[in-house]
Amino acid sequence: MTRRAIYPGSFDPITNGHLDIIERSAKLFDEVVVAVLLNIDKEPMFSAEERMDMLRSVITWDNVTVDSFEGLLVDYATRQNAQVIVRGIRAVSDYEYELQMALMNRRLEPRIETVFMMSGEAYSYLSSRLTKEVFKLGGSIKGLVPGLVEQRMKARLKGHTED
Ligand code: ADP
């Protein structure tokens, strides 16, 4: 049986913390689908297409693909014939929300298991939100996101200031 895992998130944008989870998932499962959530209410920095494009550019593992989804995650996972949802845990603060989500998802679809991976210690404080904040205030984000993502962020900021 092919073990297929879904790694869902906003990925606005992908950070090295996400990449670390993807790399480790790619070793554990036969196939990993990184799935960009489309129905986020907050105003994203990058469109879903831009986020997927960046993900595809920095993902180098043959068994990892990029997709997007709307609606219930467990419905999407079922359509994808996935048995596992992967989530990353950074600090205790992630735990409460992730536990709620995992239990709700289990109630909705008991056949799908949520697997948590601990963040790499170098990335345990890293979030897309904090990266964007630091970047917008002129701080260095070197080593926090892939080089290509840093370039796209610079281009986006430049585009905005020229508006
Ligand atoms: P969401 O918008 O659902 O919070 P994100 O795109 O921020 O999703 O992240 C997707 C998943 O990756 C979540 O499980 C999140 O906890 C995890 N994650 C985010 N940043 C890191 C990190 N630095 N290390 C490990 N896991 C992370």
Side-chain angles (χ1 to χ4, degrees), residues 52-70:
M52 289 170 74
D53 180 60
M54 283 187 275
L55 280 163
R56 288 198 177 104
S57 302
V58 299
I59 284 171
T60 50
W61 303 276
D62 288 342
N63 59 338
V64 182
T65 52
V66 177
D67 193 19
S68 63
F69 74 103
E70 260 177 311

Side-chain angles (χ1 to χ4, degrees), residues 125-140:
Y125 62 93
L126 186 56
S127 68
S128 298
R129 184 189 54 77
L130 189 57
T131 305
K132 286 184 280 190
E133 257 172 50
V134 168
F135 180 76
K136 281 179 189 163
L137 296 172
S140 169

Side-chain angles (χ1 to χ4, degrees), residues 47-143:
S47 70
E49 286 70 30
E50 290 170 325
R51 282 179 268 150
M52 289 170 74
D53 180 60
M54 283 187 275
L55 280 163
R56 288 198 177 104
S57 302
V58 299
I59 284 171
T60 50
W61 303 276
D62 288 342
N63 59 338
V64 182
T65 52
V66 177
D67 193 19
S68 63
F69 74 103
E70 260 177 311
L72 275 183
L73 173 59
V74 286
D75 288 347
Y76 171 70
T78 304
R79 286 200 302 277
Q80 287 284 322
N81 292 319
Q83 304 88 351
V84 172
I85 293 168
V86 170
R87 296 288 286 175
I89 297 254
R90 286 158 289 194
V92 180
S93 49
D94 278 342
Y95 177 78
E96 229 169 301
Y97 172 70
E98 294 291 344
L99 177 71
Q100 272 190 343
M101 290 269 293
L103 293 180
M104 181 58 84
N105 283 335
R106 186 190 289 162
R107 185 195 156 99
L108 292 168
E109 182 42 271
R111 285 172 299 186
I112 296 175
E113 195 66 53
T114 303
V115 170
F116 292 110
M117 287 200 199
M118 299 304 148
S119 172
E121 66 251 40
Y123 310 120
S124 59
Y125 62 93
L126 186 56
S127 68
S128 298
R129 184 189 54 77
L130 189 57
T131 305
K132 286 184 280 190
E133 257 172 50
V134 168
F135 180 76
K136 281 179 189 163
L137 296 172
S140 169
I141 55 162
K142 228 175 198 41

Side-chain angles (χ1 to χ4, degrees), residues 37-55:
L37 179 66
L38 295 178
N39 47 343
I40 44 172
D41 18 299
K42 53 195 176 195
E43 178 86 2
M45 182 172 197
F46 294 101
S47 70
E49 286 70 30
E50 290 170 325
R51 282 179 268 150
M52 289 170 74
D53 180 60
M54 283 187 275
L55 280 163

